[in-house]
Amino acid sequence: MKILNSVLNEELDRLNKLKKNYEKQIAKLPKGSLIRKNIKGNIYYYLNYRQEKKKIFKYIGKLSKKKLENLLDKIEERRKLEKLNKQVKKDIKKLEKMIK
């Protein structure tokens, strides 16, 4: 039984470190989604996200294709990391129940 508990505790430590790592990476990436608006024939981009209960539209401006693709990649990467982080949190809860 001690061996099983030690293995579960090691896995719990690993998952907690992974969770912290994901949260650090997520904090560095832009949140929300990209909104494209056509105003008087010009295309402008805004970053749309929630802050508490408010919707925020942060002006990004006109973007070149390269910058646009880069920003979209970062947003997609954040979404993937958030999904992984959510799964890690579920796994942590399961392990904590098993240990107790």
Side-chain angles (χ1 to χ4, degrees):
M1 195 66 179
K2 289 182 181 180
I3 295 172
L4 180 62
N5 279 339
S6 68
V7 170
L8 290 176
N9 282 324
E10 286 177 17
E11 181 65 13
L12 184 61
D13 290 341
R14 185 189 72 82
L15 288 175
N16 281 323
K17 288 177 185 176
L18 190 61
K19 179 183 151 205
K20 287 180 185 177
N21 186 23
Y22 284 153
E23 289 172 352
K24 285 180 185 177
Q25 290 178 358
I26 288 170
K28 293 177 184 177
L29 296 170
K31 56 184 169 182
S33 59
L34 195 64
I35 303 295
R36 178 183 172 191
K37 291 189 178 187
N38 189 348
I39 302 171
K40 295 183 182 178
N42 296 317
I43 298 173
Y44 299 96
Y45 292 96
Y46 294 83
L47 196 58
N48 181 22
Y49 58 93
R50 287 190 180 269
Q51 193 171 34
E52 296 172 12
K53 293 185 179 182
K54 285 184 163 183
K55 283 186 178 180
I56 306 292
F57 287 90
K58 182 179 176 185
Y59 177 69
I60 302 293
K62 295 181 181 181
L63 295 176
S64 65
K65 285 191 176 190
K66 186 175 181 180
K67 288 182 181 179
L68 177 63
E69 289 175 5
N70 187 22
L71 185 59
L72 289 173
D73 288 342
K74 286 182 180 180
I75 291 171
E76 185 63 30
E77 182 180 349
R78 181 184 178 96
R79 288 181 181 153
K80 287 179 184 177
L81 288 173
E82 286 173 340
K83 284 182 183 179
L84 291 171
N85 195 29
K86 187 175 181 179
Q87 184 60 43
V88 166
K89 287 179 181 179
K90 286 181 182 178
D91 292 343
I92 288 173
K93 284 183 181 179
K94 286 180 187 177
L95 274 176
E96 287 174 343
K97 287 181 182 178
M98 290 171 61
I99 291 173
K100 292 180 182 179

